[in-house]
Amino acid sequence: MSTKLSQLIWGLLFGVVFGFLLQKGGVASFDVIIGQLLLKDFTVVKIMLSAVAVGTIGIHLMKGFGWVQIKPKTGSWGRNAAGGLLFGIGFALLGYCPGTIAAALGNGWLDALAGGLPGILIGSGMLAAFYPKLKARIFHLGDYGDLTLPRLLKVNDWLVIAPLIAVIAVIFWLLERAGL
Amino acid sequence: MNGLTEIRWSPYIVGCAIGVLSWFTLLVSRHTLGCSTSFARSAGMIERLFRGRKVEQKAYYREYKPVVDWQWMLVIGMIIGAFIAAKSSGDFALRWIPDTWASVHGGNIPVRLLAALAGGVCLGFGSRWADGCTSGHGISGAMQLAVSSWISALCFFIGGIATAFLLYRVIA
């Protein structure tokens, strides 16, 4: 079996696990996602920050052992802030994001199938059409390349990771104490 | 607790498991979890059906080729995985309108579909503009401590919270 084909199969298998977890976590549900955006239900934040905490430690340990390379995405204010805010509007209107809509499809949500999915495809195609103009005029504004928080603060990775984990732990403690 | 047939697992357990999953995707496949690029590739594949191979010459599709790749298979896998999870707990059902939507905006199916379509367009456009989504930036990029990803993730939620309050608190 070629490496290419075996990697496609790995992708599929990892996807099955990811989708399974998202559905069990409740984020295939519009109500849970909108509950998060209305600050009533913190399931989404709990899942994301737990994943980030565990993931950060693991991938930086593996990087330290020389097992993996980490290639942070490049970006700019023009790209991430403007695009991020637009994404947010769509996130609230649709009630799913590109990952959770896949889980919602598997869960049988027809608004995801007949409304959200064609919408995302149209929106992605529109961005592809506008890409040369946006790239020339907006994407370079406030460019910071592949900067990471440790390089921004000029410290060792672990001097960012340790406080980050502590902050996440405090957020979880506060959420549980508030009964959220 | 946390049997396979339970409808909901603890968000902390699910989150930690996704964290562990991301170790293995990086180690085994040299990829991080992400979804939105696959929708862009699919849009290119659909456009190619109508306009032929010249679509591949577009600047965007030269960078993000309209082909089936690792992440595209990941997204297909996610649909299957969520289906298995939903079936395992009896939570699977074909439904048109989520409760929260119905309670505020009513049970009209075309209205919900139109909003979902408009939301999807914003989401597709915005995710490709920002070069990532809630998983690619919000989970994978955040754990790589990328400045681009932390700014994106914060903006996803700022835009999302503002719009949700407008839709469910101010207008309603």
Side-chain angles (χ1 to χ4, degrees):
Chain A
M1 187 161 42
S2 74
T3 334
K4 180 109 203 313
L5 182 60
S6 69
Q7 278 308 326
L8 291 181
I9 294 168
W10 274 115
L12 187 74
L13 292 175
F14 285 133
V16 170
V17 176
F18 191 26
F20 187 93
L21 290 168
L22 289 177
Q23 203 282 337
K24 286 293 187 191
V27 289
S29 157
F30 173 101
D31 298 321
V32 170
I33 291 172
I34 294 299
Q36 176 64 71
L37 295 179
L38 292 172
L39 307 177
K40 286 192 306 191
D41 175 336
F42 279 76
T43 304
V44 175
V45 162
K46 288 176 188 173
I47 291 178
M48 287 180 71
L49 291 181
S50 305
V52 169
V54 170
T56 305
I57 295 173
I59 67 171
H60 284 86
L61 279 175
M62 295 196 297
K63 179 186 150 192
F65 298 149
W67 294 356
V68 298
Q69 284 188 322
I70 294 180
K71 283 182 290 223
K73 284 187 185 188
T74 58
S76 65
W77 285 100
R79 198 142 196 193
N80 303 126
L85 292 172
L86 267 173
F87 179 102
I89 295 170
F91 194 16
L93 211 51
L94 174 57
Y96 309 109
C97 55
T100 51
I101 198 171
L105 291 173
N107 209 148
W109 283 103
L110 299 169
D111 57 338
L113 180 68
L117 179 63
I120 297 178
L121 292 171
I122 292 167
S124 305
M126 280 169 52
L127 190 282
F130 288 117
Y131 184 65
K133 277 186 184 156
L134 289 170
K135 196 175 178 184
R137 290 180 197 166
I138 299 179
F139 286 178
H140 64 280
L141 299 175
D143 185 52
Y144 34 71
D146 67 348
L147 187 65
T148 61
L149 297 173
R151 273 193 282 127
L152 175 71
L153 302 169
K154 298 187 173 62
V155 294
N156 178 283
D157 289 350
W158 296 97
L159 283 176
V160 172
I161 296 169
L164 174 67
I165 304 296
V167 168
I168 291 174
V170 169
I171 291 172
F172 289 166
W173 180 75
L174 288 172
L175 286 175
E176 293 305 319
R177 213 177 65 136
L180 287 165
Chain B
M1 59 173 283
N2 288 329
L4 282 178
T5 56
E6 299 243 346
I7 289 188
R8 290 279 177 273
W9 287 2
S10 152
Y12 298 114
I13 290 174
V14 167
C16 291
I18 292 171
V20 172
L21 177 67
S22 66
W23 304 347
F24 284 98
T25 64
L26 195 59
L27 198 58
V28 175
S29 298
R30 306 270 178 252
H31 282 288
T32 52
L33 296 172
C35 297
S36 65
T37 314
S38 304
F39 292 92
R41 293 189 202 279
S42 304
M45 290 182 224
I46 293 167
E47 206 179 324
R48 189 170 53 195
L49 283 181
F50 295 98
R51 297 188 48 235
R53 301 197 66 121
K54 66 179 175 186
V55 168
E56 293 167 10
Q57 297 308 315
K58 279 192 176 181
Y60 194 81
Y61 295 126
R62 273 190 305 223
E63 271 182 59
Y64 301 94
K65 295 191 170 37
V67 293
V68 169
D69 68 345
W70 183 89
Q71 191 200 81
W72 203 91
M73 295 301 290
L74 182 87
V75 175
I76 299 297
M78 289 168 72
I79 301 173
I80 299 168
F83 175 75
I84 297 169
K87 276 285 180 191
S88 73
S89 62
D91 192 33
F92 181 86
L94 294 174
R95 284 169 286 195
W96 286 100
I97 301 186
D99 293 341
T100 313
W101 177 273
S103 68
V104 175
H105 302 294
N108 187 314
I109 291 175
V111 170
R112 168 59 192 148
L113 288 187
L114 215 60
L117 184 76
V121 170
C122 274
L123 198 67
F125 198 76
S127 64
R128 296 327 303 151
W129 183 318
D131 194 27
C133 63
T134 338
S135 43
H137 274 314
I139 294 179
S140 302
M143 70 175 66
Q144 296 172 39
L145 306 175
V147 169
S148 61
S149 297
W150 280 94
I151 290 174
S152 300
L154 286 175
C155 289
F156 296 161
F157 281 94
I158 293 169
I161 290 167
T163 309
F165 271 85
L166 204 64
L167 283 173
Y168 293 89
R169 293 285 183 269
V170 180
I171 293 176

